[in-house]
């Protein structure tokens, strides 16, 4: 489809073949000529392996989420193999807290199952810090 995209406050609010007659003249506008370019939706990466906590000297959630944003990834789900492993509610809560402070994109975290944490998994409930 060739058309126009209207963005307000950083959010796409309308996509249509021609929005030139529907724009509000009292609102400041920036028009970008994107003729010949392609607009793609953001990517969800359901399996990333980031290094925080444990190896922040190589990468942290801020730098990893910057790389996501640069590459068009708008959401990620991170695997539990960090140091320490994310195998209990406390470790999951720690990652959620860190992500809330650092991430530029949407995020989610898996909790890992081991031979020793069945009780922890049965007690784990989704929550946000």
């Amino acid at each position: 489809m060739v058309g126009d995209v209207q963005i307000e406050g950083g959010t796409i609010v309308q996509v249509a073949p021609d929005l030139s007659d529907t724009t509000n003249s009292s609102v400041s506008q920036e028009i970008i000529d994107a003729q010949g370019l392609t607009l793609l939706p953001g990517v969800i990466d359901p399996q990333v392996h980031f290094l925080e906590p444990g190896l922040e000297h190589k990468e942290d959630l801020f730098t990893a989420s910057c790389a996501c944003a640069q590459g068009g990834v708008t959401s990620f789900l991170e695997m539990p193999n960090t140091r320490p492993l994310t195998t209990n509610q406390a470790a999951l809560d720690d990652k959620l807290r860190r992500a809330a402070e650092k991430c530029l994109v949407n995020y989610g975290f898996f909790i890992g199952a081991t031979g020793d944490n069945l009780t922890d998994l049965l007690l784990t409930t989704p929550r946000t810090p």
Side-chain angles (χ1 to χ4, degrees):
M1 172 178 137
V2 175
D4 295 341
V5 178
Q6 182 179 354
I7 300 172
E8 293 178 9
T11 301
I12 295 174
V13 295
Q14 189 173 0
V15 177
D18 184 7
L19 294 174
S20 60
D21 292 335
T22 62
T23 56
N24 183 344
S25 60
S26 66
V27 177
S28 165
Q29 296 182 47
E30 177 183 2
I31 297 175
I32 300 171
D33 181 1
Q35 187 170 347
L37 301 177
T38 302
L39 178 66
L40 298 172
V43 173
I44 299 171
D45 190 335
Q47 184 177 349
V48 300
H49 296 269
F50 294 157
L51 301 176
E52 182 177 351
L55 295 171
E56 291 90 341
H57 66 283
K58 293 183 177 184
E59 169 190 76
D60 67 9
L61 288 171
F62 175 72
T63 59
S65 69
C66 285
C68 285
Q70 182 69 27
V73 174
T74 58
S75 304
F76 69 79
L77 297 168
E78 197 247 2
M79 301 306 288
N81 58 332
T82 51
R83 296 179 186 170
L85 297 173
T86 310
T87 56
N88 59 47
Q89 187 67 51
L92 184 59
D93 289 344
D94 178 56
K95 280 191 175 181
L96 289 168
R97 180 191 55 77
R98 291 169 183 257
E101 295 172 359
K102 296 181 177 184
C103 285
L104 302 179
V105 299
N106 302 306
Y107 53 85
F109 298 95
F110 290 103
I111 192 166
T114 70
D116 301 321
N117 74 336
L118 179 59
T119 302
D120 289 324
L121 295 177
L122 293 173
L123 296 174
T124 299
T125 57
R127 54 184 154 170
T128 55

